[in-house]
Amino acid sequence: MKDKQSLTNSVLGSVWDSVLNSVLNSVLNSVSNSVSSSVWDSVYNSVLNSVWDSVRDSVWDSVRNSVYISIKNKQL
């Protein structure tokens, strides 16, 4: 009888550990994916904003210089 109880406790303990590990792994994977996604989005947006700022400033400088040169040539 004692061996049967011990076996039952062992099986139940094993099943419980398996379920608990599965739930914890699921939660941790979800959190990890969320954090890594958030970090990736942040890095991506930062790089994209930096490139966009650079391109915009370059285009704006070019247009401004072109207009300035055009005005200056007309004055001469």
Side-chain angles (χ1 to χ4, degrees):
M1 186 70 175
K2 189 172 187 180
D3 288 340
K4 200 174 189 180
Q5 184 65 36
S6 177
L7 180 61
T8 302
N9 287 345
S10 175
V11 168
L12 287 176
S14 177
V15 168
W16 172 247
D17 287 348
S18 177
V19 168
L20 190 59
N21 283 336
S22 176
V23 169
L24 283 176
N25 282 336
S26 176
V27 168
L28 287 175
N29 283 338
S30 176
V31 168
S32 174
N33 288 341
S34 175
V35 167
S36 68
S37 174
S38 174
V39 167
W40 170 247
D41 286 350
S42 177
V43 168
Y44 177 77
N45 285 336
S46 176
V47 169
L48 197 62
N49 285 337
S50 176
V51 169
W52 167 244
D53 287 347
S54 176
V55 168
R56 185 192 62 216
D57 290 347
S58 174
V59 168
W60 171 244
D61 287 348
S62 176
V63 168
R64 188 182 59 213
N65 287 340
S66 176
V67 169
Y68 175 75
I69 289 170
S70 174
I71 291 172
K72 188 163 180 122
N73 284 339
K74 284 185 180 184
Q75 287 176 350
L76 294 174

